[in-house]
Amino acid sequence: MRRDGTRPVGGRLHPTCGGWWARLRVCGTRHAVCLTGLCLAALWVMGVSCASSDAAAPPSAGDGLVDQVRDEQARAADSAAADAAAAADAAAADAAAADAAAAAAETAATQGTVDTAYAIDTGVGAGAGAHGSPPLALPTEAGDVARRRASHALARVYERMAQLDSGGAPARLVFLQIGDSHTASDTSTGRLRELLQVRFGDGGRGYAFAGLPWERYRQRHMGYRMSAGWRGVNGMRSSQGAFGMGGARVETGARGETIVRETCDRCEVGRTFSRLVIHYLEQPGGGRVRVRVDGDEAGLIVSDGVASDLGVFEWTGVDGPHRVELETLDRAPVTIFGIATERERGVVVEAMGINGAQARHFLRFDERLTAAEVAARAPDVLLFAFGPNEAYSSRYQVRRPDEEVFELLEKLDAYRVEYGELIARYRAGAPDAACLVLLPPDMTPRAGEDRCVPQRFDAEPIRGELCVRQPPYNYGGIINAQRYAAAEAGCAVWDQQQAMGGPGGMHIWQELRLGAADGVHLTSRGYDRLAEGLFADLVDNWTRWMSDEPEPLGTTVLHPELAITASRGR
């Protein structure tokens, strides 16, 4: 051990764990020891794991993490006492050595301390999930391939991909993603839509908010606009009225207001559809809406109802490019949630995101309406993508992270519970759907909160030494909480931070012009790059699943020559 309290790992100093280890040597510095549980707590918060012959595995999902860490302290004390007693027996022939060993045993038993050499595992190598958490367990019996395939977290997705790939009976594969601004822009999801639809068939543009629920709302592969009399309502900023699965709506009480949705003739995908679906709110006194397709009347929405329920309008026609127009006919309240355009066969990728959203915000929306909307969309896989906004929420921060480790751990454990509730909320509408948690991209702290680690690079465009900016101190814990929640829910995981090269990857991606200047978002090329990485890993994992070699979905580092702490490749 070095004088600063850090230990060399694999011939070099692990920068993140090294700093925290030094600050947390508070439990017997005279003996150069550290409480095992406290070390595990700190490193769980940092998104790293401690492991040694004397230390238990990281806290398992499902129980209170703080209680598990305290239990670990007790186990450490027992282990220390047992080790010291064994040493005393071995030295029984030497009276002086025996006395010393007995004294050591008494000290260990009363103080509950143990001096062990910890190995730091970034968790991205084979056999472990990123950040040291356990991978999803799969059956391991030799020859039981069928059961392993059926138990795969993405089995439903891969079955649909196989059906689409075979060109047999009509089949659809619907991806429904909810998240924050990374999702709201439809940049990464838009690129994923292109890749999947080119490979497995264009199932149409799918579902999106109607009109413009906020001023800078943007979506790819469709045309959309609305007249000035509509008002967009964002569930992040209003608690009034009903919000469904996306947390936003447009509403009006005026006559003659219009919303237009049309195919995109300049886009690579989304150029045709044969089925139109409109989600609206049934409400007492609700007005009528005329629906036209290519100028011809397609039907009438009557939104008057005895309660605030989900209404669904459907139209089916000839597959081709179309223009849809909704027009209100009364001076009465009308609320539209979203519009879907789709085809009989192919992949659909839908993005329901809100700028600035945290996972807990989506728990505010109407539970019954959310389940009804999700059921109406019938997704084959639900994707969850949150994290950066939680990193700056006081709900998941402490003022003195060096000292308030258990307090921070309790907050992060509460976040794990919230994330699990979110997954359950959306799965209630699609209980047979697969689940994929997209761990958040890397990010850099706000001005004045920078922490950086010197790194040396020998690949373009970075050569020489660069002090790589690290993410906020609680970001590893945010990511770990999501990973544990995913494991509890049986969800697959794809780690966007790992794909970027690990903690510090955002700084590197900024140098590559893939990360935005704010250190949180990506450039259009950066979002496309992440989508391409997810697509490649999904197809690779599906191919292995099809070839009787099923394994959990992995994450490939996209620029391994510039990776910071993540492993290179799988």
Side-chain angles (χ1 to χ4, degrees), residues 95-120:
D99 291 342
E106 182 179 358
T107 300
T110 56
Q111 293 184 357
T113 62
V114 57
D115 185 12
T116 56
Y118 286 91
I120 306 304

Side-chain angles (χ1 to χ4, degrees), residues 239-296:
S239 59
Q240 302 299 313
F243 294 96
M245 67 179 182
R249 64 178 189 262
V250 294
E251 60 187 21
T252 187
R255 179 181 179 182
E257 299 298 334
T258 60
I259 293 175
V260 173
R261 171 81 174 268
E262 55 193 345
T263 50
C264 177
D265 58 3
R266 302 182 306 276
C267 299
E268 185 175 6
V269 296
R271 302 177 66 172
T272 67
F273 70 85
S274 59
R275 182 169 180 260
L276 167 70
V277 180
I278 301 170
H279 288 189
Y280 62 92
L281 181 68
E282 292 184 347
Q283 56 188 319
R288 297 172 300 156
V289 180
R290 179 188 291 120
V291 181
R292 292 191 177 97
V293 177
D294 302 326
D296 298 328

Side-chain angles (χ1 to χ4, degrees), residues 156-157 159-161 163-164 169-175 200-207 274-275 277 340-350 376-381:
R156 182 184 178 95
V157 178
E159 289 168 359
R160 294 288 190 273
M161 289 168 72
Q163 291 171 356
L164 291 169
R172 296 173 67 247
L173 171 56
V174 179
F175 288 69
F200 294 100
D202 184 347
R205 175 53 185 79
Y207 186 89
S274 59
R275 182 169 180 260
V277 180
T341 54
E342 50 198 19
R343 306 174 72 193
E344 186 179 47
R345 180 183 182 84
V347 176
V348 175
V349 178
E350 303 173 341
R377 292 308 304 144
D380 296 288
V381 56

Side-chain angles (χ1 to χ4, degrees), residues 24 121 156 174 192 225 304 325 334 406 416 432 544:
L24 288 170
D121 174 17
R156 182 184 178 95
V174 179
L192 181 64
R225 58 186 180 275
D304 184 25
E325 182 182 75
V334 171
F406 280 116
R416 173 188 63 82
D432 295 329
R544 293 171 183 269

